[in-house]
Amino acid sequence: MNTILGLFNYWIVIILMMTGFYIVMSRRNLIKKVIGLSIFQTSVFLLYITMGKRAGGTAPILDHERFEHYTNPLPSVLILTAIVVGVATTSVALALIVRIHEAYGTVEEDEVRGMDGAE
Amino acid sequence: MLDQLPAIQIVLPLLAAPLCVLLRRRIPLLGFALLVAWTNFGVSVALLRQVLVEGPIRYALGGWAPPWGIEYHVDPLSGFVLMFVSFIGAVTLTYAPRSIAEEIPDDREHLFIAAFLLCLTGLLGIVITGDLFNVFVFLEISALSSYVLIAMGRDRRALNAAFQYLVLGTIGATFILIGIGLLYMMTGTLNMADMAVQLPAVFGTRTVRAALGFLSIGLFIKMALFPLHGWLPNAYSYAPSLVTAFLAATATKVAVYIMLRFAFSVGDVQMEFGASGLGAIMMTLSLIGIVVASTVAIFQSDVKRLLAYSSVAQIGYMVLGISFGSVSGLTATIVHLFNHALTKGGLFLAMGCFAYVAGGVRLKNLEGIGKTMPWTTFAWVLGGLSLVGVPLTAGFVSKVYLIRGALEVGFWPVAALILLSSLLALVYVWRVVEVAYFRAPPDGAQRREAPLSMLLPTWALIGATIVFGIWTGASAGIARRAAEALLKVAP
């Protein structure tokens, strides 16, 4: 029981990660691939936030009389950067898809490959 | 001023990139970018000199003391890599004016230059930083800008190639992020030097093993080690010539650099390679990669693609050197980073000259090109000889160290395979030479060389492969010092 509830967040991380990874690998629609990629990245954000959290910990306030345990703020700060990177990746990916749609008239990977093969 | 050199190395191209977006007119834009790139090269040379004379530099960014603040760390290895990455950046930018006038729409040239400088910033940042999370951030800066650069190719297939690279590159970078996170979880530090102290206490745990797995796979994707090289041939084939030359010479090399850092500076190589079998995996993959990719290269009719597969094989040599875990093996890897950057950069720049004049780089475009473009073709042949590893070229130096490394640990079949793969390289280089010199040029072809501003940078890189093939003391000497510093053995 403890391995399920005690590590609840980590199980969610693994499920999200595998879901995202599966979507990236299995879907042929480029937009769906980007969605999968975002889910995959998001799982890592959760992994970082979880490792910084302490049971019963407060925000990191320096007041030793009232607060004893505080949550490690560093992973959260790192993840702010990683979120920015994730947003940038998604936007570059979507911009590329717009250009692919302009050039080929489709966002299905198989059709794009088929057109290139025919040349 | 001299104390601030490590920061200037990164801040200079980083700040120059947005300024380039503002400069819309061609001459000030290119003049400014060239000034920045060559100054940046000067900075890296000054840093390398300082490191070799006075010892490693540790620079606390913003005055925040490590391990809390971000630290820049320049030792012989990172100084050497900084030097050649900024050199390749400056040379390819010198090549840019005529090349991008042909390949990039006029209204996007300033954006192209800005993305190029950002990519350079990212690559230099990865090399100079001493902070694990900072590696990830710079990795993504260089990767995102390289997706944009590749997508600017004229062929519409460049878009698809860039998208494939984006998907695989992001998966690779995210794996690296997971690996860094797991290491942070166990040690509570992100500073490389501090982690090297903390890591041995927790090394046997499953978490650290998992971290190593994630980091290795992520880096294998980034460096395009067989069988994770799927993104590379298309990306190199359809990107603008200049971008192919720059990325082929620097991006995968920097990924190999991160591998060296993680394996030797952060971790302890005996524990990592011995206990986890990572060394055996790397050796197997690199050997298969060398043979398979060289063989595939022989059957390509697009010469840019041929060189791309050859790059996959050359990455195999670098990883093979790491897998020996000895001073000779590491020297081979580090010197090959440098030699291959010069060789492949020069070859791809020559491809750009061919594309500029002949309009294409398939074998049929190159028929008889030895007569119409003798200078470019001769440069290509010299670069090709360096790929094969003929004596008096830089490629020979790397192969000698690699074979010596293999024999030292008693792997003579590996040494035999290295020689065999050189023959495969000879075959694919010869195919191009045959078409270029022994077929008649198409009727009415005039003798017409590429413009001087493209020919000179090409010859600068190809000339350097010859110089460092003869004067081996400089490059191999620094590489050896770097290898000894990594393995912490006295010279």
Side-chain angles (χ1 to χ4, degrees):
Chain A
M1 204 58 196
N2 200 26
T3 49
I4 295 175
L5 283 183
L7 297 174
F8 182 73
N9 272 23
Y10 291 107
W11 288 112
I12 298 292
V13 168
I14 292 170
I15 290 168
L16 276 179
M17 193 181 287
M18 289 304 120
T19 311
F21 204 42
Y22 178 75
I23 297 174
V24 175
M25 291 299 154
S26 66
R27 295 297 107 181
R28 290 280 153 243
N29 183 303
L30 298 181
I31 305 261
K32 288 183 184 164
K33 266 184 192 287
V34 175
I35 294 173
L37 206 59
S38 287
I39 296 175
F40 180 61
Q41 287 182 306
T42 309
S43 72
V44 183
F45 304 164
L46 189 61
L47 173 74
Y48 268 73
I49 306 284
T50 308
M51 75 172 82
K53 179 70 184 165
R54 286 181 69 176
T58 62
I61 303 166
L62 265 185
D63 182 346
H64 292 297
E65 286 167 16
R66 283 189 293 162
F67 308 112
E68 285 187 0
H69 301 298
Y70 62 86
T71 294
N72 185 352
L74 187 66
S76 311
V77 177
L78 297 180
I79 280 320
L80 274 181
T81 315
I83 289 173
V84 174
V85 170
V87 170
T89 311
T90 310
S91 58
V92 172
L94 290 175
L96 278 175
I97 293 175
V98 170
R99 294 272 315 275
I100 289 174
H101 189 257
E102 280 171 6
Y104 292 89
T106 175
V107 292
E108 295 291 331
E109 197 178 26
D110 296 339
E111 293 175 23
V112 169
R113 292 225 171 132
M115 283 185 213
D116 282 341
E119 273 176 14
Chain B
M1 186 66 185
L2 274 180
D3 298 341
Q4 306 297 331
L5 282 181
I8 293 173
Q9 179 88 86
I10 304 304
V11 171
L12 188 68
L14 185 64
L15 288 183
L19 283 176
C20 280
V21 179
L22 299 176
L23 289 169
R24 292 254 172 165
R25 295 178 56 126
R26 195 146 201 276
I27 290 173
L29 168 72
L30 290 167
F32 177 68
L34 277 175
L35 181 71
V36 167
W38 283 104
T39 316
N40 205 35
F41 172 58
V43 171
S44 70
V45 170
L47 271 176
L48 180 62
R49 216 198 111 263
Q50 208 174 330
V51 167
L52 291 179
V53 175
E54 294 164 22
I57 305 168
R58 307 187 65 167
Y59 177 89
L61 204 64
W64 297 90
W68 297 283
I70 290 172
E71 180 188 43
Y72 281 179
H73 187 198
V74 191
D75 63 0
L77 173 62
S78 45
F80 188 50
V81 179
L82 282 177
M83 185 276 292
F84 81 72
V85 169
S86 56
F87 177 64
I88 302 276
V91 169
T92 43
L93 256 188
T94 314
Y95 181 92
R98 294 299 288 271
S99 172
I100 63 174
E102 176 86 0
E103 296 190 49
I104 310 291
D106 283 350
D107 59 336
R108 298 212 186 118
E109 278 181 1
H110 58 295
L111 299 174
F112 178 88
I113 299 285
F116 184 92
L117 286 175
L118 277 180
C119 190
L120 182 64
T121 310
L123 294 171
L124 294 172
I126 295 170
V127 178
I128 206 171
T129 189
D131 182 276
L132 287 170
F133 195 78
N134 216 218
V135 169
F136 166 75
V137 174
F138 278 123
L139 194 67
E140 283 292 30
I141 291 178
S142 67
L144 283 168
S145 43
S146 60
Y147 308 144
V148 175
L149 290 172
I150 290 169
M152 283 186 176
R154 269 185 301 185
D155 195 315
R156 66 176 179 177
R157 278 173 288 187
L159 297 169
N160 205 20
F163 189 82
Q164 297 299 335
Y165 182 25
L166 184 142
V167 170
L168 275 170
T170 307
I171 291 173
T174 310
F175 270 35
I176 293 170
L177 183 63
I178 297 170
I180 293 172
L182 293 175
L183 285 180
Y184 174 70
M185 205 178 202
M186 294 310 288
T187 59
T189 181
L190 286 168
N191 183 285
M192 288 182 190
D194 195 26
M195 186 168 285
V197 178
Q198 312 276 348
L199 202 57
V202 292
F203 197 82
T205 56
R206 203 189 286 167
T207 316
V208 173
R209 289 254 177 126
L212 278 184
F214 277 114
L215 284 174
S216 310
I217 300 290
L219 286 171
F220 289 170
I221 295 178
K222 280 285 176 190
M223 68 174 80
L225 179 67
F226 179 87
L228 299 171
H229 64 282
W231 57 270
L232 186 140
N234 279 335
Y236 282 12
S237 307
Y238 302 124
S241 330
L242 164 78
V243 174
T244 310
F246 178 64
L247 290 181
T250 56
T252 47
K253 313 292 169 295
V254 168
V256 174
Y257 167 87
I258 310 176
M259 187 90 211
L260 286 170
R261 266 283 168 258
F262 280 167
F264 295 92
S265 295
V266 178
D268 182 323
V269 68
Q270 261 74 36
M271 284 194 275
E272 258 164 47
F273 282 30
S276 58
L278 191 58
I281 295 174
M282 281 164 67
M283 186 180 292
T284 318
L285 288 182
S286 57
L287 285 174
I288 300 175
I290 290 169
V291 175
V292 172
S294 302
T295 313
V296 173
I298 293 175
F299 294 100
Q300 299 304 315
S301 59
D302 180 327
V303 183
K304 249 177 139 180
R305 212 175 178 77
L306 180 153
L307 289 177
Y309 277 106
S310 143
S311 275
V312 176
Q314 302 286 329
I315 290 292
Y317 291 126
M318 295 170 207
V319 176
L320 187 63
I322 302 180
S323 74
F324 295 150
S326 65
V327 172
S328 297
L330 278 189
T331 310
T333 301
I334 297 166
V335 84
H336 198 47
L337 287 178
F338 174 70
N339 292 340
H340 184 247
L342 295 176
T343 309
K344 222 13 118 31
L347 281 170
F348 273 119
L349 287 183
M351 294 316 298
C353 296
F354 288 145
Y356 186 87
V357 175
V361 289
R362 301 185 73 79
L363 279 175
K364 67 175 174 357
N365 299 111
L366 301 186
E367 284 179 0
I369 202 118
K371 297 185 184 73
T372 52
M373 294 173 71
W375 282 99
T376 317
T377 316
F378 189 53
W380 200 97
V381 173
L382 287 182
L385 292 178
S386 177
L387 271 188
V388 180
V390 174
L392 297 184
T393 60
F396 178 69
V397 182
S398 328
K399 290 247 166 83
V400 166
Y401 273 98
L402 201 57
I403 291 176
R404 191 189 288 171
L407 293 178
E408 258 175 28
V409 282
F411 293 140
W412 62 266
V414 174
L417 260 178
I418 296 169
L419 290 174
L420 173 80
S421 66
S422 302
L423 287 180
L424 292 174
L426 185 63
V427 175
Y428 62 69
V429 170
W430 176 255
R431 281 191 70 206
V432 180
V433 173
E434 188 197 354
V435 169
Y437 282 109
F438 298 108
R439 300 243 177 112
D443 291 336
Q446 296 290 312
R447 187 186 156 128
R448 186 168 160 244
E449 265 300 343
L452 210 57
S453 73
M454 293 169 76
L455 205 53
L456 279 181
T458 310
W459 270 98
L461 292 184
I462 294 295
T465 64
I466 304 297
V467 169
F468 287 105
I470 297 168
W471 182 44
T472 56
S475 54
I478 299 176
R480 192 168 186 88
R481 273 187 68 174
E484 282 162 355
L486 280 181
L487 288 169
K488 299 167 196 79
V489 292

